[in-house]
């Protein structure tokens, strides 16, 4: 039996090769479809389009499986270490102790921003959304590091990646400090990745922030659970921008913009807004679920549903457990957690959600945890960006190392007016 796919079009038969991935997923290779048949495929939202072959992350949405470089996501739960996962995603294997030590040292050495970059923050209004600042500043960062415009070899790339992964924390913290009118706090080289970030976010010149180990672990877990999710909207954006050979910083700045939207990373803010609306408006979870099912209401149950997962998002399960554990440790009693649990309970039994296979996603509980830690709501999507950055970098690098890589340039079916003549201004009705 042939492995090829057969297409019959206008009475003619065409054969196309079928590729199979490591886990048995299959794709019809249509790279020469248009050249041979004159037709293109139409797939709005790209739900059936494989844009690349990638060795970074595997998702089985039907079974709720997520693996980074083959390792099931649950295996990072016991000793969550975001830096280790960043390395794994980018370089393809867990770092040896020496690789880890060197990479950590690179992160520490790169934590500071050029002093004149601080003035850029002053140019933004206090009320500027931190995601806007983050994207602009990642782009601005490239101007301070022209040595990374063109990367020659893996060592050079590693230095650029370490610089970006380290500095995104500082940019994020400074964006927040600017928004609340507080002085910027310099990174502390004696602190690890997450405690250093929380130090820049929360310390005062007269009072050091202390990071409890439970908080450190929770943030490490949140960041690493967001670290990659194969060809999602922001990662595909990074790949698309990178395909034009735009530099790493510009490509990742574009990723931040894509992540900002409420159907993607912005959903973690939208979940909190929704829970607060339910709480303040004294809406019953039952009524809200009813509203979310009503097409005319335009309301969705935020933090529910996923393009790929048609089962529980494993990240949501893990974060649900963290919320359960951490809030009592922090002495936080949050009514929003009770509302979230109730919404989940109702939706998981409701035929509307069951039939459409809509389950809680990664954004459903992450906001409640961050809020308990004291991270302001408008920083939630920034946290997602810090977490997703290693994934963006890994994909950008994988693509740039792929032989025969082409600029991404989809086609379209034109449905506008047929050819028509230009009418001079004074002859128009
Ligand atoms: N609440 C109510 N109905 C929903 C929801 C929801 N959260 N999600 C999907 N549906 C319905 C939708 O109305 C449609 O119904 P019908 O078949 O009757 O028209 C059906 O389910 C399929 O929805 P879709 O919009 O065609 O599915 P999609 O794969 O294009 O969208 C999604 C996926 C994540 C954008 C969507 O589920 C959604 O808007 N969820 C809420 C936002 C959210 O939580 N986003 C975070 C996603 S995970 C993290 C990330 O990617 O950044």
């Amino acid at each position: 039996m042939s492995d090829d796919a057969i297409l019959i079009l206008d009475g003619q038969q065409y054969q196309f090769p079928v590729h199979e991935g490591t886990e048995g997923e299959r794709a019809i290779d249509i790279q020469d479809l248009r050249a041979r048949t004159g037709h293109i495929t139409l797939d709005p939202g790209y739900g059936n389009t494989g844009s690349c072959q990638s060795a970074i992350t595997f998702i089985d949405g039907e079974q709720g499986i997520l693996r980074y470089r083959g390792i099931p996501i649950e295996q990072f739960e016991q000793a969550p270490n975001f830096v280790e996962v960043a390395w794994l995603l980018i370089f393809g294997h867990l770092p040896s102790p020496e690789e880890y030590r060197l990479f950590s040292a690179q992160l520490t050495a790169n934590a500071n921003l050029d002093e004149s970059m601080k003035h850029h923050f002053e140019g933004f209004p206090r009320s500027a959304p931190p995601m806007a600042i983050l994207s602009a500043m990642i782009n601005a960062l490239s101007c301070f590091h022209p040595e990374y415009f063109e990367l020659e070899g893996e060592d050079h790339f590693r230095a650029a990646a370490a610089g970006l992964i380290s500095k995104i924390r500082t940019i994020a913290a400074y964006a927040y400090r600017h928004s609340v009118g507080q002085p910027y706090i310099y990174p502390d080289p004696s602190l690890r990745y997450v405690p250093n970030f929380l130090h820049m976010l929360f310390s005062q010149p007269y009072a050091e922030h202390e990071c409890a180990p439970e908080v450190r672990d929770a943030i490490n877990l949140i960041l690493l659970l967001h670290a990659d999710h194969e060809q999602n909207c922001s990662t595909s954006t990074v790949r698309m921008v990178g395909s034009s050979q735009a530099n790493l910083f510009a490509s990742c700045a574009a990723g931040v913009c894509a992540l900002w939207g409420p159907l993607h990373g912005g959903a973690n803010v939208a979940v909190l807004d929704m829970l607060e609306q339910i709480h303040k408006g004294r809406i019953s979870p039952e009524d809200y679920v009813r509203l979310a099912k009503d097409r005319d209401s335009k309301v969705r149950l935020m933090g529910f549903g996923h393009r790929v997962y048609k089962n529980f998002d494993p990240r949501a399960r893990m974060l649900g457990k963290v919320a359960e554990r951490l809030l009592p440790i922090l002495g936080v009693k949050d009514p929003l957690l009770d509302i979230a649990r109730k919404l989940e309970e109702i939706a998981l039994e409701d035929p509307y959600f069951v039939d459409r296979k809509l389950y809680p996603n990664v954004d459903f509980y992450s906001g409640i945890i961050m809020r308990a830690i004291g991270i302001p709501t408008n920083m939630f999507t920034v946290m997602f960006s810090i977490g997703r950055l290693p994934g963006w970098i890994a994909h950008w690098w994988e693509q740039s190392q792929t032989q025969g890589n082409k600029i991404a340039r989809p086609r379209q079916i034109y449905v506008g007016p047929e050819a028509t003549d230009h009418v001079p201004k004074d002859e128009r009705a």
Side-chain angles (χ1 to χ4, degrees):
M1 196 176 74
S2 160
D3 267 334
D4 288 353
I6 311 272
L7 173 71
I8 298 171
L9 205 59
D10 300 332
Q12 274 227 47
Q13 183 168 308
Y14 303 91
Q15 260 175 287
F16 295 94
V18 173
H19 297 297
E20 188 162 324
T22 321
E23 296 290 338
E25 70 279 21
R26 309 186 89 205
I28 304 166
D29 183 340
I30 52 147
Q31 286 183 75
D32 58 2
L33 175 74
R34 186 170 178 275
R36 287 168 61 198
T37 68
H39 289 63
I40 61 169
T41 56
L42 187 59
D43 185 20
Y46 306 132
N48 304 285
T49 298
S51 60
C52 61
Q53 300 197 34
S54 176
I56 300 170
T57 287
F58 172 69
I59 302 174
D60 182 330
E62 268 66 39
Q63 296 193 58
I65 292 173
L66 169 62
R67 295 184 202 136
Y68 290 163
R69 300 285 187 181
I71 303 176
I73 195 72
E74 292 80 5
Q75 294 188 13
F76 298 103
E77 198 171 9
Q78 285 315 311
N81 182 332
F82 174 62
V83 170
E84 182 179 84
V85 166
W87 175 283
L88 168 73
L89 288 169
I90 297 171
F91 300 108
H93 59 92
L94 287 167
S96 68
E98 183 60 3
E99 285 170 333
Y100 184 78
R101 191 187 65 74
L102 288 173
F103 193 55
S104 295
Q106 266 180 316
L107 293 177
T108 304
N110 275 288
N112 257 315
L113 301 180
D114 186 292
E115 200 61 15
S116 57
M117 259 193 94
K118 280 205 219 159
H119 303 303
H120 291 246
F121 291 92
E122 309 302 329
F124 286 97
R126 286 261 173 92
S127 57
M131 284 298 274
I133 302 182
L134 186 66
S135 171
M137 293 304 255
I138 290 177
N139 240 332
L141 192 61
S142 69
C143 309
F144 291 89
H145 295 281
E147 72 274 19
Y148 297 140
F149 277 156
E150 294 211 8
L151 300 175
E152 282 154 22
E154 192 167 306
D155 288 349
H156 197 192
F157 161 68
R158 187 179 309 125
L164 197 46
I165 292 172
S166 188
K167 289 182 201 303
I168 190 173
R169 257 178 329 180
T170 317
I171 293 175
Y174 284 15
Y176 169 63
R177 305 290 294 203
H178 173 65
S179 74
V180 289
Q182 292 182 355
Y184 307 125
I185 302 290
Y186 286 105
D188 177 344
S190 72
L191 296 175
R192 309 287 291 272
Y193 191 87
V194 167
N196 205 356
F197 172 56
L198 295 178
H199 158 70
M200 288 189 273
L201 209 55
F202 295 135
S203 285
Q204 298 298 345
Y206 46 84
E208 284 281 309
H209 169 82
E210 293 217 0
C211 177
E214 295 84 1
V215 169
R216 179 201 60 208
D217 288 352
I219 297 284
N220 261 297
L221 189 66
I222 289 178
L223 294 180
L224 76 83
L225 290 181
H226 286 88
D228 192 43
H229 216 232
E230 49 118 306
Q231 309 309 319
N232 58 86
C233 177
S234 57
T235 302
S236 297
T237 300
V238 170
R239 275 188 176 261
M240 177 162 278
V241 175
S243 79
S244 74
Q245 295 183 2
N247 70 67
L248 178 65
F249 291 62
S251 304
C252 290
V256 172
C257 294
L259 192 71
W260 193 356
L263 295 190
H264 192 10
N268 56 16
V269 175
V271 170
L272 249 280
D273 289 347
M274 172 185 81
L275 295 174
E276 270 178 346
Q277 192 195 338
I278 295 172
H279 181 54
K280 287 189 185 143
R282 295 172 186 274
I283 305 169
S284 76
E286 287 80 3
D287 281 348
Y288 198 86
V289 169
R290 219 167 285 131
L291 206 60
K293 294 190 298 184
D294 177 1
R295 271 176 177 231
D296 297 333
S297 74
K298 300 248 180 339
V299 168
R300 281 194 166 194
L301 190 56
M302 299 311 283
F304 255 75
H306 199 278
R307 171 60 62 79
V308 179
Y309 290 119
K310 301 302 165 201
N311 199 326
F312 241 95
D313 178 339
R315 304 167 301 172
R317 262 192 220 285
M318 291 163 78
L319 289 175
K321 279 199 279 172
V322 174
E324 208 73 50
R325 212 171 45 232
L326 187 68
L327 268 63
I329 293 175
L330 298 177
V332 174
K333 175 101 190 60
D334 192 344
L336 302 196
L337 178 58
D338 300 332
I339 296 173
R341 277 206 216 98
K342 189 74 196 161
L343 287 173
E344 180 182 344
E345 192 187 306
I346 299 167
L348 289 180
E349 304 240 308
D350 189 305
Y352 173 97
F353 290 89
V354 174
D355 293 350
R356 289 170 179 75
K357 299 188 172 144
L358 302 170
Y359 292 85
N361 61 47
V362 68
D363 294 312
F364 197 63
Y365 285 109
S366 62
I368 290 173
I369 301 168
M370 289 194 273
R371 175 174 139 111
I373 289 170
I375 292 169
T377 312
N378 68 350
M379 287 293 287
F380 289 180
T381 318
V382 170
M383 297 294 291
F384 194 153
S385 310
I386 298 173
R388 185 54 54 89
L389 182 64
W392 292 337
I393 293 174
H395 282 272
W396 185 92
W397 181 242
E398 181 179 68
Q399 176 174 263
S400 76
Q401 298 305 293
T402 302
Q403 286 293 323
N405 184 45
K406 287 182 181 164
I407 187 166
R409 202 324 187 166
R411 287 184 176 265
Q412 63 166 17
I413 297 293
Y414 174 72
V415 292
E418 290 177 357
T420 181
D421 287 326
H422 174 263
V423 180
K425 211 188 300 169
D426 51 5
E427 289 175 26
R428 289 176 217 160

